[in-house]
Amino acid sequence: MKPTFPLLVLFALPAFALAAPDKPAAGSIAAADSNVIARVGELDVKLDEVKTALAKLDQREQDAIARDPALLNQVVRLLLVQRLMLNEAVSKKWDEKPQVKTAIERARETAITESYLQSVSQPAPGYPSETELEVAYDQAKPSMAVGRQWKLAQIYIAAPEGTAKADLEKAETKLAEVKKTLADKGADFAALAKKYSEEPASAAQGGEIGWMVEAQIQPEIREAATKLTVGALSEAVRLKDGWHLLKCLDLKEPSTPPLEQVRTVLTERMRQERAKANSHAYLAALLQQNPVSINEITLAKALAK
């Protein structure tokens, strides 16, 4: 379940609502109040309340706080703002308005039914067993298979279509110089990439563009790239943007990750699928035990104005 005020609301609040005060407030916290984290007026936010609020945040929000502990201070301030708003609303009997009462009851019913359904749908603690996990792994192997991978580097000489003749001749001269240098078996491809390649990101890495499976390689150069063996160079491949000279730095044959590598992910996926199946089964059984009868004619009147 989501907290009443998700962490994203922090960015919607005015800056002054979250800013630290310049000096302690009149109701500042005494040293003896070890369980009180923050106070505004007569309102306190206690340690247990903050822990509860943090537990209700989704994983993305919890990770954000772990990366930036300053956000924790903002969460506390948000709780204080929420408490102030609640007190003011209740003092004005806002909670007694018919539409608010309806919304509160609807939220209450939703919270109860969703949490209860989640509780009755949870798989047994020991699920999946080792045997069930192995069977699922064998069935999932085809979808987990990783094709042949190439670790590629490139030297890129820019010459887009429509380049002026003089600039094109300069690019061709540069390409010829690179090819001539590469013809020397002792040539350092990485050093040449840093010197000549016109694609800054890969040039800074000695031309390296990383590991790629066949489907990730640009279609126009796929044929040349996938024929490369470790250490081999391709011919200059002419594309619309210029020439690409490729080198295969390493090669991985098709493989499937072992069970131990995917155990945690596969277990979680199986538990989620089982919980979903349990949920459907519970609801189906509930409806079977309590058949529903709807008067469609009378129901249509619900939309009448």
Side-chain angles (χ1 to χ4, degrees), residues 40-216:
V40 57
E42 299 299 320
L43 301 176
D44 292 345
V45 171
K46 298 184 177 181
L47 177 61
D48 291 344
E49 293 174 299
V50 174
K51 287 183 176 179
T52 299
L54 292 175
K56 290 180 180 179
L57 296 176
D58 63 31
Q59 191 59 51
R60 180 173 59 89
E61 292 167 335
Q62 291 184 22
D63 291 344
I65 291 175
R67 291 192 300 270
D68 183 6
L71 286 175
L72 184 57
N73 184 286
Q74 295 182 2
V75 170
V76 173
R77 294 180 184 280
L78 188 60
L79 288 172
L80 284 170
V81 171
Q82 179 187 5
R83 193 73 55 78
L84 285 169
M85 290 171 60
L86 178 62
N87 275 18
E88 182 174 337
V90 171
S91 71
K92 295 180 179 180
K93 302 186 183 302
W94 194 260
D95 56 323
E96 296 181 12
K97 288 180 174 289
Q99 66 270 33
V100 177
K101 283 186 175 182
T102 299
I104 291 172
E105 184 57 27
R106 188 181 301 120
R108 175 179 177 276
E109 291 174 355
T110 298
I112 292 172
T113 55
E114 286 185 354
S115 62
Y116 179 71
L117 180 59
Q118 184 180 34
S119 71
V120 298
S121 302
Q122 284 299 307
Y127 179 82
S129 66
E130 188 64 24
T131 300
E132 290 169 320
L133 191 61
E134 289 173 357
V135 169
Y137 171 73
D138 288 339
Q139 293 174 342
K141 269 186 177 180
S143 64
M144 292 190 294
V146 179
R148 184 176 283 105
Q149 299 177 70
W150 291 263
K151 188 177 184 181
L152 300 174
Q154 72 166 350
I155 296 175
Y156 166 61
I157 309 298
E161 290 183 346
T163 298
K165 183 178 179 180
D167 292 333
L168 182 60
E169 289 176 351
K170 288 181 181 179
E172 289 174 337
T173 299
K174 184 176 183 179
L175 175 64
E177 183 180 347
V178 172
K179 290 172 68 175
K180 181 179 179 180
T181 307
L182 285 173
D184 181 351
K185 292 185 178 180
D188 186 336
F189 188 94
L192 290 172
K194 290 181 178 179
K195 181 177 180 181
Y196 291 105
S197 184
E198 297 176 39
E199 198 289 294
S202 60
Q205 304 297 321
E208 187 174 325
I209 54 181
W211 285 100
M212 307 183 79
V213 295
E214 187 170 349
Q216 294 175 315

Side-chain angles (χ1 to χ4, degrees), residues 148-153 185 189 211 224-234 246-253:
R148 184 176 283 105
Q149 299 177 70
W150 291 263
K151 188 177 184 181
L152 300 174
K185 292 185 178 180
F189 188 94
W211 285 100
T226 55
K227 288 179 180 178
L228 295 177
T229 55
V230 177
L233 301 175
S234 74
L246 303 172
K247 180 177 182 178
C248 179
L249 302 178
D250 203 352
L251 180 64
K252 290 181 182 178
E253 293 300 325

Side-chain angles (χ1 to χ4, degrees), residues 26-39:
S28 58
I29 304 168
D33 297 335
S34 59
N35 197 43
V36 177
I37 289 181
R39 175 175 295 155

